[in-house]
Amino acid sequence: MRKTPENQPPDTQKSRSASHEARRNERESAADRAIPLPSHLVGSGSLDRLVDTARDYARAATAENTNKAYTADWKHFTRWCRLKGTDPLPPSPEVIGLYLTELTAPQGKAPAMSTSTIDRRLSGLAWNYAQRGFSLDRKDRHIVAILAGIKRKHARPPAQKEAILPDDIRAMVATLPHDLRGLRDRAILLLGYAGGLRRSEIVRLDRSKDDTPDSAGWVEIFEDGALLRLDAKTGWREVEIGRGSSEQTCPVHALEQWLHFSKIDFGPIFVRTSRDGKRALDTRLNDKHVARLIKATVLKSGIRAELPEAERLALFSGHSLRAGLASSAEVDERYVQKQLGHASAEMTRRYQRRRDRFRINLTKAAGL
């Protein structure tokens, strides 16, 4: 008797299903890595190096975290298509409209997505289609009408993380030990706070220019402070971090202490340490370390202790450092805008949790 899918053992069916899924994902990954070439150039060994370099440039066109998000977007969409019995290729505005609709009210235990996440998910699909040689018309009436309705019905003001204020950051660094890991983490918190840095900008700093290919900037230390040259979202920018009034909370002193005791004079600045905590390794820290460090020190320092632990953890993230600088620095707004690397003052104001919103009173200025 020949075995059919119906009379095969369940484990065999699952194995074949998993194997089929793996082959499909492999084909999609291969499509991601491929760079189309004119037919008369295909197979030319002399172009292999240029193809590899071009592929690296193509990946570098968007930030690493953006690439990861877009990859996850495509996997989620293609899985949804398979469950619904449809094909993700070529792009169908009607199918994508239905997909966006389900994101607002998914079946099962999956939470509904915010409108900003849905917007990002649509951008991810458009990018993925472009990589596969297709064009997704985001202005198609099916997509435009459904997306407008979703925003009208479900849009909410963006949820903002709480700012870390001066007393908070002092309490947080006070919880850190004075071993090698403590020196590193103290420098991360103080440098990120005083520089208004994103967590990816912190961990991708190198000791000097052109030390590593995955660097996003480097540091120069002077008598009066440190100068950071960063390759950020809005392009290259310089961030000046002056020395503080106390060595306990001075970001430049903390950085010098870490570099001295870790013996780092080349390559990534913020790296992992050995298990015994006595040696700095060569491996660059992941930006998630910054988020975990912030949450851990918030708990240890007792910030917002009146709230349950889960709520306290949800209030703070890597952006809390940037919001803290924007909310606490008593200087002209334009200097804060420059430090954060914002293109507009309006974006900077979104980070300011404490500011006099009515300093300019247009009601009185209008004579009322």
Side-chain angles (χ1 to χ4, degrees):
M1 171 179 167
R2 191 170 70 89
K3 289 186 178 180
T4 64
E6 288 76 12
N7 55 38
Q8 285 178 346
D11 289 345
T12 304
Q13 295 181 37
K14 288 180 181 178
S15 175
R16 289 193 174 183
S17 175
S19 176
H20 176 72
E21 183 78 11
R23 286 196 299 272
R24 182 191 290 266
N25 288 337
E26 187 177 348
R27 287 197 301 271
E28 289 174 354
S29 277
D32 286 344
R33 292 192 298 267
I35 290 182
L37 292 172
S39 58
H40 66 283
L41 296 178
V42 174
S44 173
S46 62
L47 290 177
D48 288 348
R49 181 184 62 81
L50 291 178
V51 169
D52 290 339
T53 304
R55 187 178 295 125
D56 290 340
Y57 284 145
R59 279 195 294 264
T62 49
E64 182 181 353
N65 286 340
T66 303
N67 289 333
K68 290 179 181 178
Y70 285 174
T71 299
D73 293 343
W74 185 252
K75 286 182 178 179
H76 187 275
F77 175 63
T78 53
R79 182 177 182 276
W80 180 86
C81 287
R82 288 194 290 274
L83 291 175
K84 301 300 180 184
T86 186
D87 200 311
L89 297 173
S92 165
E94 294 84 355
V95 169
I96 291 174
L98 294 175
Y99 173 66
L100 298 180
T101 299
E102 180 148 321
L103 293 181
T104 64
Q107 297 178 355
K109 297 181 179 179
M113 290 186 178
S114 66
T115 55
S116 60
T117 303
I118 291 173
D119 235 347
R120 205 289 319 286
R121 185 66 61 91
L122 183 59
S123 297
L125 295 184
W127 184 88
N128 275 286
Y129 276 122
Q131 307 314 301
R132 290 161 174 78
F134 295 94
S135 177
L136 173 61
D137 183 9
R138 294 184 58 170
K139 295 183 179 179
D140 184 278
R141 62 188 182 89
H142 292 91
I143 297 176
V144 169
I146 290 174
L147 194 59
I150 289 172
K151 289 182 177 180
R152 185 179 181 88
K153 189 170 182 179
H154 298 286
R156 299 287 184 274
Q160 294 184 318
K161 295 298 181 180
E162 192 149 322
I164 292 173
L165 301 177
D167 288 342
D168 299 331
I169 193 71
R170 283 192 285 266
M172 289 163 66
V173 298
T175 67
L176 296 172
H178 290 276
D179 58 6
L180 198 59
R181 286 196 190 104
L183 293 177
R184 179 198 65 191
D185 291 343
R186 185 175 284 102
I188 286 174
L189 289 177
L190 291 173
L191 201 72
Y193 186 84
L197 305 178
R198 299 175 178 89
R199 63 188 195 184
S200 59
E201 293 171 344
I202 298 172
V203 299
R204 292 180 66 195
L205 281 171
D206 274 6
R207 186 68 185 89
S208 306
K209 182 182 179 182
D210 298 330
D211 277 358
T212 62
D214 60 340
S215 166
W218 69 95
V219 175
E220 293 180 67
I221 299 177
F222 302 96
E223 183 179 348
D224 293 329
L227 175 64
L228 280 56
R229 288 186 169 89
L230 301 174
D231 183 10
K233 280 186 175 181
T234 53
W236 282 96
R237 82 178 198 271
E238 293 184 349
V239 173
E240 297 97 358
I241 300 179
R243 292 186 182 273
S245 55
S246 166
E247 284 192 351
Q248 283 70 36
T249 56
C250 173
V252 183
H253 178 73
L255 178 61
E256 288 174 325
Q257 290 288 293
W258 161 245
L259 292 175
H260 172 72
F261 287 102
S262 63
K263 300 178 182 178
I264 291 176
D265 54 12
F266 179 86
I269 287 180
F270 295 115
V271 296
R272 298 183 183 278
T273 58
S274 58
R275 290 187 176 224
D276 59 10
K278 295 181 179 180
R279 289 182 301 107
L281 305 178
D282 296 330
T283 309
R284 188 189 299 275
L285 284 175
N286 187 286
D287 65 343
K288 292 179 181 178
H289 174 81
V290 181
R292 289 193 294 264
L293 173 62
I294 290 170
K295 292 177 183 294
T297 51
V298 161
L299 288 181
K300 289 180 182 177
S301 60
I303 297 171
R304 301 299 300 272
E306 72 278 5
L307 298 176
E309 182 175 308
E311 289 185 32
R312 293 169 68 196
L313 290 174
L315 284 176
F316 297 92
S317 73
H319 265 62
S320 296
L321 294 177
R322 285 166 64 78
L325 178 74
S327 303
S328 304
E330 300 291 340
V331 295
D332 191 293
E333 191 177 73
R334 57 184 170 158
Y335 296 113
V336 179
Q337 179 182 340
K338 177 181 179 295
Q339 190 82 340
L340 298 184
H342 287 154
S344 68
E346 182 58 36
M347 178 58 73
T348 302
R349 292 187 191 112
R350 294 184 191 177
Y351 282 76
Q352 294 172 330
R353 308 293 190 262
R354 301 189 312 182
R355 65 184 175 92
D356 186 359
R357 297 177 179 273
F358 303 104
R359 181 172 60 84
I360 299 175
N361 190 326
L362 292 181
T363 306
K364 290 182 179 179
L368 300 179

